[in-house]
Amino acid sequence: MEHIKTYYREDVQTNGKNLRFEGPISSEQIDRYDYHPGLIAFRQPKEQKKALMGIAELPEGRINVAVDDGVIVGYVTFVYPDPLERWSESPLDNLLELGAIEVAHEYRGFKIGSRLLELSMYDDAMEDYIIITTEYYWHWDLKNSNTTVWGYRKFMEKMMNKGGLEWMATDDPEISSHPANCLLVRIGNRVSMEDVQTFDQIRFTDRFLF
């Protein structure tokens, strides 16, 4: 399929800061920005910035960012599912994974994650995709969140709802390994019933259990 990407930008004043929310942005634009040193959830800052640039260069890859005075302070990525997960076995070329969302610690509480997700869905092309995110409690920043695993799960689900992603059941073993883990999905309004049925077959490979 053709992956159409339409750029959007919003300038928002919040908590005394003038933040720019924009995307999908190119690898070149990411390179021009500085990268907040506190964005270390997945890799060290320099390596993660390179990873974002690589995703932006993929035909399906989408990077949306929050920027404060030329510094990326938050981002969300959309890409084809990880080859190590069952979702990559799908024959669907319109199945994207919200692979990562991260906000620098000092910017949390500004609803940056929610705004990034809302901005991500402005592009009408997103109505052609099934978008998933797999939430695992061991990826969550429980140490700095001052909440329980269930409080964090509620927070993550509420934030993902801002992008139209809703909880869906699955028999995926990794998700099923802990009750706080979950699959969240957004099905675009132009996705065919056949594609939805194919996706359902991936969600449940052991239907005899249900």
Side-chain angles (χ1 to χ4, degrees):
M1 68 178 295
E2 181 182 3
H3 299 283
I4 300 171
K5 305 174 190 178
T6 302
Y7 172 86
Y8 284 87
R9 168 181 164 181
E10 282 189 338
D11 295 314
V12 178
Q13 187 173 50
T14 179
N15 292 59
K17 296 182 179 293
N18 294 310
L19 301 180
R20 174 182 297 174
F21 294 83
E22 61 178 335
I25 63 172
S26 67
S27 176
E28 292 75 18
Q29 184 61 63
I30 295 171
D31 193 31
R32 285 196 290 270
Y33 284 137
D34 290 327
Y35 191 81
H36 195 286
L39 295 171
I40 56 173
F42 301 98
R43 300 175 183 84
Q44 289 302 305
K46 185 180 292 186
E47 285 71 30
Q48 183 61 11
K49 183 178 180 181
K50 289 181 180 178
L52 296 183
M53 291 170 63
I55 291 173
E57 291 173 354
L58 296 172
E60 82 284 1
R62 292 170 174 265
I63 304 292
N64 298 310
V65 297
V67 179
D68 181 13
D69 194 24
V71 179
I72 294 174
V73 298
Y75 63 86
V76 60
T77 73
F78 296 89
V79 70
Y80 278 144
D82 189 311
L84 298 178
E85 297 187 335
R86 76 156 59 170
W87 316 103
S88 67
E89 300 171 6
S90 163
L92 299 171
D93 60 2
N94 61 342
L95 177 61
L96 289 184
E97 182 169 17
L98 193 167
I101 184 165
E102 184 179 11
V103 177
H105 184 71
E106 66 192 79
Y107 288 83
R108 295 180 188 177
F110 295 7
K111 297 186 177 180
I112 287 177
S114 297
R115 289 184 184 275
L116 281 170
L117 289 171
E118 289 175 338
L119 179 95
S120 299
M121 302 308 164
Y122 287 173
D123 190 346
D124 181 66
M126 297 302 260
E127 300 303 333
D128 295 316
Y129 293 101
I130 299 173
I131 299 168
I132 66 169
T133 185
T134 52
E135 292 297 328
Y136 306 115
Y137 82 92
W138 51 82
H139 288 168
W140 298 340
D141 188 12
L142 295 171
K143 181 179 178 181
N144 295 312
S145 65
N146 194 31
T147 188
T148 65
V149 65
W150 293 109
Y152 206 100
R153 157 69 185 270
K154 184 177 180 180
F155 160 75
M156 289 299 295
E157 196 163 354
K158 183 178 180 180
M159 181 174 67
M160 293 299 173
N161 290 165
K162 293 292 186 180
L165 288 95
E166 303 284 347
W167 177 88
M168 281 193 179
T170 179
D171 63 2
D172 177 76
E174 200 163 13
I175 293 175
S176 302
S177 67
H178 192 280
N181 296 342
C182 62
L183 170 70
L184 296 155
V185 182
R186 181 186 189 275
I187 298 177
N189 59 31
R190 287 194 297 271
V191 174
S192 70
M193 184 57 65
E194 290 78 12
D195 285 353
V196 173
Q197 291 172 346
T198 299
F199 176 64
D200 286 343
Q201 291 170 1
I202 302 165
R203 285 200 296 133
F204 294 108
T205 61
D206 296 318
R207 284 190 175 274
F208 65 91
L209 295 176
F210 292 82

